[in-house]
Amino acid sequence: MGNNKTFSIRSRAKGFIYAFAGIKSFFSSQHNAWIHLLATVVVTVLAVVFHISGSEVIALTFAVGFVWVSELFNTAIEKTMDLISAERNPRIKIIKDMSAAAVLVAAITALLVGCFVFIPKIFI
């Protein structure tokens, strides 16, 4: 739609470079990223130890990915709001609180999926 640029491997590669720069920035500025990474490692180790099924792997992968994506969007939204105003603003606070709530919902969802997968294996 109006963008007649031709396909370029170089421009696609730049997209990956920018994405990895975003991940590097995320890990260097967000303490929660390290908590999520630890949780991801624990879930991965438990999955190997308990020899979980393919469908359980899929469920855990989506749950973990849901948390990561939520946290990345939350960080992007918070950084954007900080650019809009460095001063306290009740409307920006609502936006940031809702964004943080999305991460909380994702984390609770992932916890529930983990419980559904691992509790039967631990206690049975």
Side-chain angles (χ1 to χ4, degrees):
M1 302 183 118
N3 186 355
N4 294 328
K5 290 185 178 181
T6 58
F7 177 83
S8 161
I9 297 290
R10 178 172 282 159
S11 64
R12 296 309 107 210
K14 281 184 182 180
F16 281 100
I17 290 168
Y18 298 143
F20 284 114
I23 291 171
K24 180 180 176 186
S25 174
F26 177 66
F27 275 101
S28 66
S29 68
Q30 301 301 308
H31 297 107
N32 286 347
W34 294 99
I35 295 168
H36 294 309
L37 181 60
L38 176 63
T40 301
V41 169
V42 168
V43 165
T44 303
V45 168
L46 289 173
V48 171
V49 167
F50 288 111
H51 306 288
I52 66 172
S53 71
S55 59
E56 291 169 328
V57 169
I58 291 168
L60 289 172
T61 300
F62 273 97
V64 168
F66 184 39
V67 174
W68 281 106
V69 169
S70 298
E71 189 66 60
L72 284 160
F73 275 127
N74 176 53
T75 300
I77 290 166
E78 286 185 353
K79 298 283 186 194
T80 301
M81 294 300 103
D82 290 345
L83 280 174
I84 291 171
S85 175
E87 299 172 11
R88 288 200 179 267
N89 180 321
R91 289 165 49 186
I92 288 177
K93 181 186 182 313
I94 291 169
I95 293 166
K96 287 183 167 187
D97 289 350
M98 288 179 167
S99 182
V103 177
L104 179 62
V105 168
I108 290 169
T109 302
L111 177 65
L112 290 172
V113 170
C115 288
F116 291 137
V117 169
F118 293 118
I119 286 176
K121 293 179 181 352
I122 293 169
F123 294 109
I124 294 177

